[in-house]
């Protein structure tokens, strides 16, 4: 299924900038941001940079993780929850049932959710439907991993139109480079995302 979402996408200078914009826009000074640990270190760095409190949720000693530890921490005093799926460096993923519970708890407590899908190319299942169908739920992605385009510094945020419009107010005028495809005419183009059917991973997840 293909859906045109020009008003639901914001291009960014890599997904790192996308994460930073969501933190800046959807958490308050001294607000609390929850993420699992170990994971992408910049979640905590950006939280501290903007004067937020980072609340880590740790894996067990054998590197297993119980999603109930996240559910129990989603309370009205939390501004933002960040989950990386698949998570690096552990390499584990969330199931549909687990993500359903996370989103339900976040909505009940008015907590914004950021699902970082920087490594979704290595796992044939995306949670982008939550960003397309729920307020205050975002997906961030990058072209730096599978496509080896780290030097291009190109990423994007997906969410509801009004939520993305709020984030775009933070963007600098020239935060990304301009690219033009060989066979594409100049001018506006419609941006589309394809929701792929779920399949089992055909190879081990990156560790």
């Amino acid at each position: 299924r293909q859906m045109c979402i020009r008003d639901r996408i914001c291009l960014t200078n890599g997904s790192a900038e996308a994460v930073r914009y969501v933190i800046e826009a959807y958490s308050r000074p001294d607000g609390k941001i929850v993420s699992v640990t170990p994971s992408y270190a910049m979640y905590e760095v950006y939280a501290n940079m903007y004067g937020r409190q980072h609340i880590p949720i740790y894996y067990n000693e054998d590197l297993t993780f119980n999603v109930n530890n996240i559910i129990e921490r989603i309370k009205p005093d939390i501004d933002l929850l960040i989950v990386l799926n698949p998570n690096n460096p552990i390499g584990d993923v969330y199931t549909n049932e687990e993500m359903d519970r996370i989103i339900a708890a976040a909505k009940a407590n008015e907590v914004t959710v950021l699902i970082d899908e920087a490594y979704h190319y290595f796992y044939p299942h995306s949670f982008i439907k939550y960003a397309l169908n729920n307020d205050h739920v975002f997906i961030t992605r990058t072209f730096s991993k599978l496509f080896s385009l780290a030097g291009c510094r190109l990423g994007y945020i997906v969410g509801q139109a009004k939520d993305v419009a709020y984030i775009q107010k933070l963007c600098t005028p020239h935060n990304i480079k301009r690219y033009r495809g060989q066979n594409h005419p100049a001018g506006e183009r419609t941006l589309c995302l394809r929701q792929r059917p779920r399949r089992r991973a055909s190879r081990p997840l990156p560790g």
Side-chain angles (χ1 to χ4, degrees), residues 32-180:
K32 297 177 180 179
I33 298 173
V34 171
S35 70
V36 303
T37 301
S39 189
Y40 183 45
M42 296 305 292
Y43 301 148
E44 181 176 4
V45 172
Y46 289 147
N48 293 333
M49 186 173 75
Y50 286 108
R52 277 55 162 169
Q53 302 179 50
H54 179 253
I55 311 296
I57 301 179
Y58 294 97
Y59 278 76
N60 299 320
E61 290 186 2
D62 61 356
L63 297 182
T64 59
F65 187 81
N66 189 335
V67 72
N68 288 330
N69 294 339
I70 294 179
I71 304 296
E72 292 169 359
R73 197 61 189 84
I74 299 176
K75 303 294 183 183
D77 66 327
I78 303 299
D79 287 351
L80 176 64
L81 168 68
I82 305 176
V83 293
L84 176 59
N85 190 67
N87 185 27
N88 186 36
I90 305 301
D92 60 340
V93 298
Y94 297 89
T95 65
N96 281 337
E97 187 270 339
E98 288 172 339
M99 190 57 65
D100 283 342
R101 293 177 59 201
I102 288 172
I103 297 298
K107 291 177 69 173
N109 290 277
E110 298 184 349
V111 174
T112 299
V113 178
L114 167 57
I115 305 172
D116 186 348
E117 290 194 342
Y119 297 93
H120 88 283
Y121 304 102
F122 302 99
Y123 175 58
H125 180 59
S126 171
F127 290 123
I128 196 168
K129 66 178 182 181
Y130 295 102
L132 295 176
N133 296 303
N134 295 277
D135 293 338
H136 290 193
V137 177
F138 298 95
I139 291 283
T140 55
R141 290 182 181 172
T142 177
F143 291 92
S144 299
K145 310 305 179 186
L146 182 66
F147 298 108
S148 301
L149 296 175
C152 292
R153 302 305 304 149
L154 184 60
Y156 58 93
I157 305 170
V158 175
Q160 292 296 292
K162 60 183 178 60
D163 296 334
V164 170
Y166 186 66
I167 288 176
Q168 287 175 328
K169 295 178 181 180
L170 303 174
C171 296
T172 56
H174 308 292
N175 64 322
I176 61 171
K177 299 177 183 179
R178 183 173 181 177
Y179 299 93
R180 181 176 173 182

